[in-house]
Amino acid sequence: MKFPNMQKRIVIAMWSLNIFSLGTCLIFINPDLPDIYMRISVDLIVMWFALMFSYYIWAIYFYNINLGYSDGEWERMIADKELALKRKGDGLVVTDEEMSLPEDNPYKDKTFGLPDGTVRGTIALTILVLGTAMLLLRFSGAHPNDEATFSLMGEAFLMMVAFYFGTKGLELLRAKKE
């Protein structure tokens, strides 16, 4: 039976919160960072990756262990199965569907067993967060070689477009550039 206990979720949530808090504390008390803009920028990046790490822990658990059902849904399905067993014991007709519980993740053939677009969306949002962090670094006097950094972000954006829409989308963007 795949019905998990609540303890696992609490441990995962507490561990994720600790990583998030530790990252925030380490950045804001770090004296090596020259100004507030750099501290906020680095903190934004650390918090984003802590958030994504926590989300992926939860999502992989939810879809691969819990098969995409909440604990309440599992309780309902188990109660329905027990009711069907009782009805079958009383001699009533019961379908196989009423007697079975889910056994497979519906997204088992996808990346990490997660729904379509989860990883691609994460990549796109990560590029957005990194772009925001770079914008904050522009306010800092310690930001090195802006042109190279923005060129790198432009390439990352083009790669994301190619990843989302395939080569056709990339060809359209490059045609407009020329």
Side-chain angles (χ1 to χ4, degrees):
M1 180 181 313
K2 299 280 186 185
F3 184 68
N5 59 17
M6 195 60 155
Q7 254 180 340
K8 290 179 186 177
R9 286 188 176 186
I10 292 171
V11 169
I12 289 171
M14 294 305 292
W15 189 61
S16 302
L17 183 63
N18 286 334
I19 288 173
F20 183 78
S21 301
L22 178 66
T24 303
C25 291
L26 286 176
I27 296 306
F28 277 110
I29 63 173
N30 188 350
D32 296 334
L33 297 175
D35 61 12
I36 190 68
Y37 296 114
M38 185 166 283
R39 288 180 184 193
I40 292 171
S41 179
V42 171
D43 194 37
L44 178 66
I45 293 168
V46 169
M47 287 190 300
W48 176 256
F49 283 104
L51 179 69
M52 285 297 96
F53 186 70
S54 302
Y55 169 73
Y56 274 99
I57 288 173
W58 171 82
I60 290 170
Y61 171 80
F62 183 75
Y63 286 105
N64 291 302
I65 296 172
N66 227 14
L67 305 179
Y69 296 100
S70 69
D71 289 344
E73 289 171 316
W74 274 107
E75 288 173 1
R76 183 189 50 77
M77 288 187 294
I78 290 171
D80 289 348
K81 181 180 178 180
E82 289 172 357
L83 182 63
L85 283 171
K86 184 179 178 198
R87 287 191 357 233
K88 185 176 182 179
D90 293 341
L92 298 171
V93 177
V94 178
T95 64
D96 289 339
E97 185 178 299
E98 292 176 296
M99 296 292 292
S100 64
L101 292 173
E103 295 181 9
D104 289 329
N105 176 4
Y107 306 107
K108 66 183 175 187
D109 297 332
K110 308 293 182 195
T111 308
F112 299 129
L114 300 175
D116 289 333
T118 301
V119 175
R120 288 181 296 183
T122 300
I123 292 170
L125 289 172
T126 300
I127 291 172
L128 176 69
V129 169
L130 292 176
T132 304
M134 281 181 39
L135 180 65
L136 287 171
L137 282 177
R138 292 274 288 173
F139 298 125
S140 172
H143 189 263
N145 198 353
D146 289 333
E147 189 173 322
T149 306
F150 281 104
S151 174
L152 176 68
M153 287 303 292
E155 288 297 318
F157 176 75
L158 287 176
M159 288 171 56
M160 184 220 26
V161 168
F163 189 54
Y164 260 110
F165 304 109
T167 56
K168 188 67 176 168
L170 193 57
E171 289 170 5
L172 288 173
L173 277 178
R174 290 196 185 206
K176 287 186 178 184
K177 261 185 159 179
E178 297 170 352

